[in-house]
Amino acid sequence: MTQVTDHRGGVRSLRVPIPDNPLGHTLVYVVDTDRGPVLIDTGWDDPESWDTLTEGLTACGTSVTEIHGVVVTHHHPDHHGLSGRVREASGAWIAMHAADTAVVRRTREARPERWFSYMVAKLTAAGAPEEHIAPLRAARPRALPGLSPALPDRDIAPGELLDLPGRRVRAIWTPGHTPGHVCLHLEESHPARLPGHGRLFSGDHLLPGITPHIGLYEDPDDTTVTDPLGDYLDSLERVGRLAPAEVLPAHQHPFPDAAARVRELLTHHEDRLSALLALLAEPLTPWQLAERMEWNRPWDQIPYGSRNIAVSEAEAHLRRLVKLGRAEAVPGSEPVTYVAVR
């Protein structure tokens, strides 16, 4: 049975399931506007998820055919996956920040072989063992899930009031979890008159009990060295200054006091960077660092695909330490190793 929550003030949420994922579901928000309902995210492209979304919209007194627009917080498939089906059913527009649209475009245009060769090169450079890389060398499937995400119709510009007639929803660019992640600030009085400035649809940027993954989303043809963790920490502070009365996240549950949660996350990342510096008393590759980092389970229990994500996060933290001058690459090392600056 579809779970619908009425947050009042013309905002409801639907719990759309994510198949085979410990997160369980995505909270898809239905926002009433003068031209019909607008969705904030859509959920995973899966038959059960689609049925849950459409049944939930019916329970809200509307239908998927009446959707006016879709605002996507970021390109991940548990947020953007069903956007194309919603557009096909309703004619709705889809809006996304240009940086994530670029990722979507690369995903659509790249052949699976290109993705595998890129991953082999990245993991080799990170110091991954051959037994981890070998399956990627051999794998040549015809298709990979999530390789045909819908191209958006509109760009979301940072700071703009979105074209949602009768509502005041401002886009807040919050890169880090993805390059084009956006939060959406509903600049309207809280329906329960909680203290603070409106409500914040926070996507994955600010969650009540989870620290979002910070990894790398890079164009293989672009040599720019990004700093996604630095971007995320800057974005956190920006959101904390908004001081919304309530945060409406894409997972778990709504919560008050965004500033307190921001402080917790900033402290968490500073503690984690300090712990990594202790590990870097000896030179380590990104893979070796990932093996030694604290995760939600021991390294030998982390699934194959999740290890790739973990190495990406280790590299994001290394880039932050290098940019801060607290770690450096060891000259001549191959694969490259990093060591703390004493």
Side-chain angles (χ1 to χ4, degrees), residues 126-161:
E130 179 56 33
E131 59 264 27
H132 183 87
I133 298 172
L136 291 170
R137 297 190 198 277
R140 289 294 182 268
R142 294 180 181 177
L144 290 169
L147 279 191
S148 295
L151 273 173
D153 309 288
R154 300 183 179 185
D155 285 341
I156 297 175
E160 75 167 328
L161 277 174

PDB file of all heavy atoms in Angstrom, residues 126-161:
ATOM      1  N   ALA A 126      44.267   3.968  -8.946  1.00  0.00           N
ATOM      2  CA  ALA A 126      44.016   4.036  -7.504  1.00  0.00           C
ATOM      3  C   ALA A 126      44.714   2.921  -6.743  1.00  0.00           C
ATOM      4  O   ALA A 126      44.657   2.888  -5.507  1.00  0.00           O
ATOM      5  CB  ALA A 126      42.523   3.991  -7.224  1.00  0.00           C
ATOM      6  N   GLY A 127      45.342   1.982  -7.469  1.00  0.00           N
ATOM      7  CA  GLY A 127      46.062   0.905  -6.798  1.00  0.00           C
ATOM      8  C   GLY A 127      45.221  -0.313  -6.497  1.00  0.00           C
ATOM      9  O   GLY A 127      45.602  -1.135  -5.652  1.00  0.00           O
ATOM     10  N   ALA A 128      44.081  -0.484  -7.173  1.00  0.00           N
ATOM     11  CA  ALA A 128      43.243  -1.666  -6.950  1.00  0.00           C
ATOM     12  C   ALA A 128      43.984  -2.929  -7.386  1.00  0.00           C
ATOM     13  O   ALA A 128      44.714  -2.904  -8.382  1.00  0.00           O
ATOM     14  CB  ALA A 128      41.929  -1.535  -7.713  1.00  0.00           C
ATOM     15  N   PRO A 129      43.804  -4.046  -6.677  1.00  0.00           N
ATOM     16  CA  PRO A 129      44.472  -5.283  -7.073  1.00  0.00           C
ATOM     17  C   PRO A 129      43.878  -5.838  -8.360  1.00  0.00           C
ATOM     18  O   PRO A 129      42.717  -5.591  -8.692  1.00  0.00           O
ATOM     19  CB  PRO A 129      44.211  -6.220  -5.892  1.00  0.00           C
ATOM     20  CG  PRO A 129      42.969  -5.682  -5.248  1.00  0.00           C
ATOM     21  CD  PRO A 129      43.006  -4.200  -5.446  1.00  0.00           C
ATOM     22  N   GLU A 130      44.670  -6.636  -9.059  1.00  0.00           N
ATOM     23  CA  GLU A 130      44.242  -7.175 -10.354  1.00  0.00           C
ATOM     24  C   GLU A 130      42.984  -8.025 -10.220  1.00  0.00           C
ATOM     25  O   GLU A 130      42.122  -8.015 -11.097  1.00  0.00           O
ATOM     26  CB  GLU A 130      45.372  -7.994 -10.984  1.00  0.00           C
ATOM     27  CG  GLU A 130      45.017  -8.631 -12.327  1.00  0.00           C
ATOM     28  CD  GLU A 130      44.536  -7.618 -13.375  1.00  0.00           C
ATOM     29  OE1 GLU A 130      45.017  -6.467 -13.356  1.00  0.00           O
ATOM     30  OE2 GLU A 130      43.684  -7.993 -14.204  1.00  0.00           O
ATOM     31  N   GLU A 131      42.848  -8.748  -9.093  1.00  0.00           N
ATOM     32  CA  GLU A 131      41.656  -9.607  -8.961  1.00  0.00           C
ATOM     33  C   GLU A 131      40.372  -8.784  -8.885  1.00  0.00           C
ATOM     34  O   GLU A 131      39.294  -9.289  -9.221  1.00  0.00           O
ATOM     35  CB  GLU A 131      41.766 -10.511  -7.732  1.00  0.00           C
ATOM     36  CG  GLU A 131      41.916  -9.799  -6.407  1.00  0.00           C
ATOM     37  CD  GLU A 131      43.377  -9.677  -5.974  1.00  0.00           C
ATOM     38  OE1 GLU A 131      44.272  -9.661  -6.851  1.00  0.00           O
ATOM     39  OE2 GLU A 131      43.618  -9.585  -4.759  1.00  0.00           O
ATOM     40  N   HIS A 132      40.476  -7.516  -8.461  1.00  0.00           N
ATOM     41  CA  HIS A 132      39.296  -6.652  -8.461  1.00  0.00           C
ATOM     42  C   HIS A 132      39.035  -6.081  -9.858  1.00  0.00           C
ATOM     43  O   HIS A 132      37.877  -5.929 -10.267  1.00  0.00           O
ATOM     44  CB  HIS A 132      39.476  -5.498  -7.465  1.00  0.00           C
ATOM     45  CG  HIS A 132      38.277  -4.612  -7.351  1.00  0.00           C
ATOM     46  ND1 HIS A 132      37.234  -4.865  -6.493  1.00  0.00           N
ATOM     47  CD2 HIS A 132      37.944  -3.468  -8.004  1.00  0.00           C
ATOM     48  CE1 HIS A 132      36.314  -3.927  -6.629  1.00  0.00           C
ATOM     49  NE2 HIS A 132      36.717  -3.054  -7.534  1.00  0.00           N
ATOM     50  N   ILE A 133      40.091  -5.788 -10.580  1.00  0.00           N
ATOM     51  CA  ILE A 133      39.944  -5.159 -11.899  1.00  0.00           C
ATOM     52  C   ILE A 133      39.571  -6.174 -12.974  1.00  0.00           C
ATOM     53  O   ILE A 133      38.850  -5.840 -13.929  1.00  0.00           O
ATOM     54  CB  ILE A 133      41.258  -4.437 -12.275  1.00  0.00           C
ATOM     55  CG1 ILE A 133      41.561  -3.329 -11.254  1.00  0.00           C
ATOM     56  CG2 ILE A 133      41.173  -3.831 -13.675  1.00  0.00           C
ATOM     57  CD1 ILE A 133      42.920  -2.682 -11.428  1.00  0.00           C
ATOM     58  N   ALA A 134      40.013  -7.423 -12.825  1.00  0.00           N
ATOM     59  CA  ALA A 134      39.838  -8.429 -13.877  1.00  0.00           C
ATOM     60  C   ALA A 134      38.398  -8.570 -14.364  1.00  0.00           C
ATOM     61  O   ALA A 134      38.162  -8.648 -15.578  1.00  0.00           O
ATOM     62  CB  ALA A 134      40.383  -9.776 -13.398  1.00  0.00           C
ATOM     63  N   PRO A 135      37.384  -8.608 -13.476  1.00  0.00           N
ATOM     64  CA  PRO A 135      36.003  -8.737 -13.991  1.00  0.00           C
ATOM     65  C   PRO A 135      35.594  -7.582 -14.902  1.00  0.00           C
ATOM     66  O   PRO A 135      34.792  -7.775 -15.828  1.00  0.00           O
ATOM     67  CB  PRO A 135      35.155  -8.762 -12.711  1.00  0.00           C
ATOM     68  CG  PRO A 135      36.085  -9.237 -11.646  1.00  0.00           C
ATOM     69  CD  PRO A 135      37.427  -8.671 -12.005  1.00  0.00           C
ATOM     70  N   LEU A 136      36.130  -6.385 -14.653  1.00  0.00           N
ATOM     71  CA  LEU A 136      35.805  -5.249 -15.505  1.00  0.00           C
ATOM     72  C   LEU A 136      36.468  -5.377 -16.866  1.00  0.00           C
ATOM     73  O   LEU A 136      35.899  -4.955 -17.883  1.00  0.00           O
ATOM     74  CB  LEU A 136      36.250  -3.939 -14.837  1.00  0.00           C
ATOM     75  CG  LEU A 136      35.476  -3.524 -13.591  1.00  0.00           C
ATOM     76  CD1 LEU A 136      36.162  -2.357 -12.907  1.00  0.00           C
ATOM     77  CD2 LEU A 136      34.046  -3.157 -13.947  1.00  0.00           C
ATOM     78  N   ARG A 137      37.654  -5.948 -16.896  1.00  0.00           N
ATOM     79  CA  ARG A 137      38.313  -6.173 -18.196  1.00  0.00           C
ATOM     80  C   ARG A 137      37.521  -7.154 -19.046  1.00  0.00           C
ATOM     81  O   ARG A 137      37.442  -7.024 -20.268  1.00  0.00           O
ATOM     82  CB  ARG A 137      39.721  -6.714 -17.982  1.00  0.00           C
ATOM     83  CG  ARG A 137      40.682  -5.809 -17.248  1.00  0.00           C
ATOM     84  CD  ARG A 137      42.082  -6.390 -17.337  1.00  0.00           C
ATOM     85  NE  ARG A 137      42.993  -5.848 -16.336  1.00  0.00           N
ATOM     86  CZ  ARG A 137      43.640  -4.695 -16.479  1.00  0.00           C
ATOM     87  NH1 ARG A 137      43.466  -3.968 -17.552  1.00  0.00           N
ATOM     88  NH2 ARG A 137      44.468  -4.270 -15.518  1.00  0.00           N
ATOM     89  N   ALA A 138      36.935  -8.163 -18.391  1.00  0.00           N
ATOM     90  CA  ALA A 138      36.243  -9.229 -19.117  1.00  0.00           C
ATOM     91  C   ALA A 138      34.797  -8.881 -19.449  1.00  0.00           C
ATOM     92  O   ALA A 138      34.230  -9.414 -20.408  1.00  0.00           O
ATOM     93  CB  ALA A 138      36.289 -10.512 -18.298  1.00  0.00           C
ATOM     94  N   ALA A 139      34.191  -8.000 -18.651  1.00  0.00           N
ATOM     95  CA  ALA A 139      32.757  -7.746 -18.792  1.00  0.00           C
ATOM     96  C   ALA A 139      32.451  -6.947 -20.056  1.00  0.00           C
ATOM     97  O   ALA A 139      33.045  -5.906 -20.292  1.00  0.00           O
ATOM     98  CB  ALA A 139      32.247  -6.993 -17.571  1.00  0.00           C
ATOM     99  N   ARG A 140      31.542  -7.459 -20.861  1.00  0.00           N
ATOM    100  CA  ARG A 140      31.084  -6.739 -22.046  1.00  0.00           C
ATOM    101  C   ARG A 140      29.574  -6.950 -22.244  1.00  0.00           C
ATOM    102  O   ARG A 140      29.137  -7.550 -23.217  1.00  0.00           O
ATOM    103  CB  ARG A 140      31.831  -7.214 -23.304  1.00  0.00           C
ATOM    104  CG  ARG A 140      33.296  -6.778 -23.357  1.00  0.00           C
ATOM    105  CD  ARG A 140      33.419  -5.274 -23.483  1.00  0.00           C
ATOM    106  NE  ARG A 140      34.803  -4.843 -23.582  1.00  0.00           N
ATOM    107  CZ  ARG A 140      35.553  -4.505 -22.543  1.00  0.00           C
ATOM    108  NH1 ARG A 140      35.060  -4.570 -21.317  1.00  0.00           N
ATOM    109  NH2 ARG A 140      36.801  -4.109 -22.717  1.00  0.00           N
ATOM    110  N   PRO A 141      28.775  -6.487 -21.284  1.00  0.00           N
ATOM    111  CA  PRO A 141      27.329  -6.675 -21.444  1.00  0.00           C
ATOM    112  C   PRO A 141      26.780  -5.767 -22.541  1.00  0.00           C
ATOM    113  O   PRO A 141      27.409  -4.791 -22.932  1.00  0.00           O
ATOM    114  CB  PRO A 141      26.776  -6.263 -20.080  1.00  0.00           C
ATOM    115  CG  PRO A 141      27.765  -5.263 -19.585  1.00  0.00           C
ATOM    116  CD  PRO A 141      29.106  -5.724 -20.091  1.00  0.00           C
ATOM    117  N   ARG A 142      25.602  -6.100 -23.004  1.00  0.00           N
ATOM    118  CA  ARG A 142      24.975  -5.289 -24.054  1.00  0.00           C
ATOM    119  C   ARG A 142      24.488  -3.950 -23.499  1.00  0.00           C
ATOM    120  O   ARG A 142      24.443  -2.967 -24.215  1.00  0.00           O
ATOM    121  CB  ARG A 142      23.799  -6.054 -24.664  1.00  0.00           C
ATOM    122  CG  ARG A 142      24.223  -7.313 -25.422  1.00  0.00           C
ATOM    123  CD  ARG A 142      23.022  -8.021 -26.008  1.00  0.00           C
ATOM    124  NE  ARG A 142      23.406  -9.244 -26.706  1.00  0.00           N
ATOM    125  CZ  ARG A 142      22.543 -10.085 -27.256  1.00  0.00           C
ATOM    126  NH1 ARG A 142      21.236  -9.838 -27.168  1.00  0.00           N
ATOM    127  NH2 ARG A 142      22.955 -11.176 -27.858  1.00  0.00           N
ATOM    128  N   ALA A 143      24.110  -3.963 -22.252  1.00  0.00           N
ATOM    129  CA  ALA A 143      23.593  -2.718 -21.661  1.00  0.00           C
ATOM    130  C   ALA A 143      23.812  -2.747 -20.160  1.00  0.00           C
ATOM    131  O   ALA A 143      23.964  -3.798 -19.558  1.00  0.00           O
ATOM    132  CB  ALA A 143      22.105  -2.556 -21.978  1.00  0.00           C
ATOM    133  N   LEU A 144      23.819  -1.580 -19.580  1.00  0.00           N
ATOM    134  CA  LEU A 144      23.918  -1.438 -18.134  1.00  0.00           C
ATOM    135  C   LEU A 144      22.678  -0.700 -17.642  1.00  0.00           C
ATOM    136  O   LEU A 144      22.129   0.146 -18.348  1.00  0.00           O
ATOM    137  CB  LEU A 144      25.166  -0.628 -17.759  1.00  0.00           C
ATOM    138  CG  LEU A 144      26.516  -1.304 -17.981  1.00  0.00           C
ATOM    139  CD1 LEU A 144      27.627  -0.273 -17.831  1.00  0.00           C
ATOM    140  CD2 LEU A 144      26.718  -2.428 -16.995  1.00  0.00           C
ATOM    141  N   PRO A 145      22.223  -1.042 -16.419  1.00  0.00           N
ATOM    142  CA  PRO A 145      21.045  -0.336 -15.905  1.00  0.00           C
ATOM    143  C   PRO A 145      21.332   1.144 -15.720  1.00  0.00           C
ATOM    144  O   PRO A 145      22.424   1.538 -15.337  1.00  0.00           O
ATOM    145  CB  PRO A 145      20.790  -1.031 -14.552  1.00  0.00           C
ATOM    146  CG  PRO A 145      22.100  -1.649 -14.183  1.00  0.00           C
ATOM    147  CD  PRO A 145      22.753  -2.028 -15.474  1.00  0.00           C
ATOM    148  N   GLY A 146      20.322   1.960 -16.010  1.00  0.00           N
ATOM    149  CA  GLY A 146      20.456   3.394 -15.782  1.00  0.00           C
ATOM    150  C   GLY A 146      21.232   4.141 -16.841  1.00  0.00           C
ATOM    151  O   GLY A 146      21.601   5.296 -16.645  1.00  0.00           O
ATOM    152  N   LEU A 147      21.467   3.502 -18.020  1.00  0.00           N
ATOM    153  CA  LEU A 147      22.275   4.173 -19.038  1.00  0.00           C
ATOM    154  C   LEU A 147      21.445   4.984 -20.033  1.00  0.00           C
ATOM    155  O   LEU A 147      21.992   5.515 -20.981  1.00  0.00           O
ATOM    156  CB  LEU A 147      23.127   3.148 -19.795  1.00  0.00           C
ATOM    157  CG  LEU A 147      24.420   2.720 -19.093  1.00  0.00           C
ATOM    158  CD1 LEU A 147      25.302   1.922 -20.033  1.00  0.00           C
ATOM    159  CD2 LEU A 147      25.204   3.920 -18.571  1.00  0.00           C
ATOM    160  N   SER A 148      20.144   5.069 -19.822  1.00  0.00           N
ATOM    161  CA  SER A 148      19.321   5.899 -20.700  1.00  0.00           C
ATOM    162  C   SER A 148      18.425   6.832 -19.889  1.00  0.00           C
ATOM    163  O   SER A 148      17.212   6.867 -20.083  1.00  0.00           O
ATOM    164  CB  SER A 148      18.464   5.018 -21.619  1.00  0.00           C
ATOM    165  OG  SER A 148      19.274   4.277 -22.493  1.00  0.00           O
ATOM    166  N   PRO A 149      18.994   7.596 -18.969  1.00  0.00           N
ATOM    167  CA  PRO A 149      18.171   8.532 -18.199  1.00  0.00           C
ATOM    168  C   PRO A 149      17.635   9.636 -19.093  1.00  0.00           C
ATOM    169  O   PRO A 149      18.232   9.982 -20.107  1.00  0.00           O
ATOM    170  CB  PRO A 149      19.146   9.083 -17.153  1.00  0.00           C
ATOM    171  CG  PRO A 149      20.495   8.944 -17.786  1.00  0.00           C
ATOM    172  CD  PRO A 149      20.421   7.712 -18.629  1.00  0.00           C
ATOM    173  N   ALA A 150      16.492  10.180 -18.697  1.00  0.00           N
ATOM    174  CA  ALA A 150      15.849  11.215 -19.506  1.00  0.00           C
ATOM    175  C   ALA A 150      16.670  12.498 -19.509  1.00  0.00           C
ATOM    176  O   ALA A 150      17.169  12.933 -18.470  1.00  0.00           O
ATOM    177  CB  ALA A 150      14.456  11.500 -18.962  1.00  0.00           C
ATOM    178  N   LEU A 151      16.800  13.100 -20.687  1.00  0.00           N
ATOM    179  CA  LEU A 151      17.428  14.421 -20.775  1.00  0.00           C
ATOM    180  C   LEU A 151      16.423  15.479 -20.315  1.00  0.00           C
ATOM    181  O   LEU A 151      15.282  15.497 -20.784  1.00  0.00           O
ATOM    182  CB  LEU A 151      17.872  14.719 -22.202  1.00  0.00           C
ATOM    183  CG  LEU A 151      19.256  14.227 -22.610  1.00  0.00           C
ATOM    184  CD1 LEU A 151      19.466  14.443 -24.098  1.00  0.00           C
ATOM    185  CD2 LEU A 151      20.353  14.947 -21.811  1.00  0.00           C
ATOM    186  N   PRO A 152      16.814  16.369 -19.419  1.00  0.00           N
ATOM    187  CA  PRO A 152      15.894  17.417 -18.959  1.00  0.00           C
ATOM    188  C   PRO A 152      15.548  18.403 -20.072  1.00  0.00           C
ATOM    189  O   PRO A 152      16.268  18.536 -21.065  1.00  0.00           O
ATOM    190  CB  PRO A 152      16.670  18.104 -17.837  1.00  0.00           C
ATOM    191  CG  PRO A 152      17.725  17.127 -17.436  1.00  0.00           C
ATOM    192  CD  PRO A 152      18.072  16.368 -18.677  1.00  0.00           C
ATOM    193  N   ASP A 153      14.440  19.107 -19.869  1.00  0.00           N
ATOM    194  CA  ASP A 153      14.000  20.148 -20.795  1.00  0.00           C
ATOM    195  C   ASP A 153      14.458  21.536 -20.357  1.00  0.00           C
ATOM    196  O   ASP A 153      14.538  22.454 -21.162  1.00  0.00           O
ATOM    197  CB  ASP A 153      12.463  20.182 -20.870  1.00  0.00           C
ATOM    198  CG  ASP A 153      11.877  18.820 -21.133  1.00  0.00           C
ATOM    199  OD1 ASP A 153      12.010  18.339 -22.263  1.00  0.00           O
ATOM    200  OD2 ASP A 153      11.304  18.232 -20.191  1.00  0.00           O
ATOM    201  N   ARG A 154      14.710  21.692 -19.052  1.00  0.00           N
ATOM    202  CA  ARG A 154      15.031  23.004 -18.495  1.00  0.00           C
ATOM    203  C   ARG A 154      16.246  22.909 -17.581  1.00  0.00           C
ATOM    204  O   ARG A 154      16.443  21.892 -16.907  1.00  0.00           O
ATOM    205  CB  ARG A 154      13.847  23.541 -17.657  1.00  0.00           C
ATOM    206  CG  ARG A 154      12.553  23.701 -18.432  1.00  0.00           C
ATOM    207  CD  ARG A 154      11.472  24.291 -17.539  1.00  0.00           C
ATOM    208  NE  ARG A 154      10.218  24.481 -18.253  1.00  0.00           N
ATOM    209  CZ  ARG A 154       9.136  25.064 -17.747  1.00  0.00           C
ATOM    210  NH1 ARG A 154       9.169  25.529 -16.488  1.00  0.00           N
ATOM    211  NH2 ARG A 154       8.040  25.196 -18.453  1.00  0.00           N
ATOM    212  N   ASP A 155      17.025  23.981 -17.568  1.00  0.00           N
ATOM    213  CA  ASP A 155      18.128  24.105 -16.619  1.00  0.00           C
ATOM    214  C   ASP A 155      17.632  24.813 -15.357  1.00  0.00           C
ATOM    215  O   ASP A 155      16.820  25.739 -15.432  1.00  0.00           O
ATOM    216  CB  ASP A 155      19.281  24.919 -17.209  1.00  0.00           C
ATOM    217  CG  ASP A 155      20.089  24.142 -18.228  1.00  0.00           C
ATOM    218  OD1 ASP A 155      20.010  22.893 -18.223  1.00  0.00           O
ATOM    219  OD2 ASP A 155      20.797  24.780 -19.031  1.00  0.00           O
ATOM    220  N   ILE A 156      18.141  24.374 -14.224  1.00  0.00           N
ATOM    221  CA  ILE A 156      17.881  25.066 -12.967  1.00  0.00           C
ATOM    222  C   ILE A 156      19.067  25.988 -12.694  1.00  0.00           C
ATOM    223  O   ILE A 156      20.204  25.524 -12.576  1.00  0.00           O
ATOM    224  CB  ILE A 156      17.713  24.071 -11.804  1.00  0.00           C
ATOM    225  CG1 ILE A 156      16.487  23.179 -12.034  1.00  0.00           C
ATOM    226  CG2 ILE A 156      17.605  24.817 -10.468  1.00  0.00           C
ATOM    227  CD1 ILE A 156      16.325  22.086 -10.988  1.00  0.00           C
ATOM    228  N   ALA A 157      18.817  27.272 -12.615  1.00  0.00           N
ATOM    229  CA  ALA A 157      19.880  28.244 -12.362  1.00  0.00           C
ATOM    230  C   ALA A 157      19.959  28.527 -10.864  1.00  0.00           C
ATOM    231  O   ALA A 157      18.930  28.751 -10.216  1.00  0.00           O
ATOM    232  CB  ALA A 157      19.605  29.538 -13.118  1.00  0.00           C
ATOM    233  N   PRO A 158      21.167  28.505 -10.285  1.00  0.00           N
ATOM    234  CA  PRO A 158      21.306  28.779  -8.860  1.00  0.00           C
ATOM    235  C   PRO A 158      20.696  30.118  -8.480  1.00  0.00           C
ATOM    236  O   PRO A 158      20.910  31.126  -9.154  1.00  0.00           O
ATOM    237  CB  PRO A 158      22.823  28.785  -8.646  1.00  0.00           C
ATOM    238  CG  PRO A 158      23.369  27.933  -9.751  1.00  0.00           C
ATOM    239  CD  PRO A 158      22.458  28.184 -10.921  1.00  0.00           C
ATOM    240  N   GLY A 159      19.906  30.110  -7.421  1.00  0.00           N
ATOM    241  CA  GLY A 159      19.316  31.336  -6.903  1.00  0.00           C
ATOM    242  C   GLY A 159      18.005  31.730  -7.543  1.00  0.00           C
ATOM    243  O   GLY A 159      17.339  32.651  -7.058  1.00  0.00           O
ATOM    244  N   GLU A 160      17.608  31.051  -8.606  1.00  0.00           N
ATOM    245  CA  GLU A 160      16.380  31.465  -9.294  1.00  0.00           C
ATOM    246  C   GLU A 160      15.137  30.987  -8.558  1.00  0.00           C
ATOM    247  O   GLU A 160      15.140  29.962  -7.882  1.00  0.00           O
ATOM    248  CB  GLU A 160      16.352  30.905 -10.727  1.00  0.00           C
ATOM    249  CG  GLU A 160      16.029  29.423 -10.812  1.00  0.00           C
ATOM    250  CD  GLU A 160      15.701  28.958 -12.231  1.00  0.00           C
ATOM    251  OE1 GLU A 160      15.137  29.751 -13.011  1.00  0.00           O
ATOM    252  OE2 GLU A 160      16.017  27.798 -12.540  1.00  0.00           O
ATOM    253  N   LEU A 161      14.061  31.767  -8.695  1.00  0.00           N
ATOM    254  CA  LEU A 161      12.741  31.295  -8.306  1.00  0.00           C
ATOM    255  C   LEU A 161      12.214  30.431  -9.439  1.00  0.00           C
ATOM    256  O   LEU A 161      12.129  30.878 -10.586  1.00  0.00           O
ATOM    257  CB  LEU A 161      11.796  32.474  -8.050  1.00  0.00           C
ATOM    258  CG  LEU A 161      11.865  33.131  -6.677  1.00  0.00           C
ATOM    259  CD1 LEU A 161      10.976  34.371  -6.660  1.00  0.00           C
ATOM    260  CD2 LEU A 161      11.455  32.159  -5.576  1.00  0.00           C
TER     261      LEU A 161
END
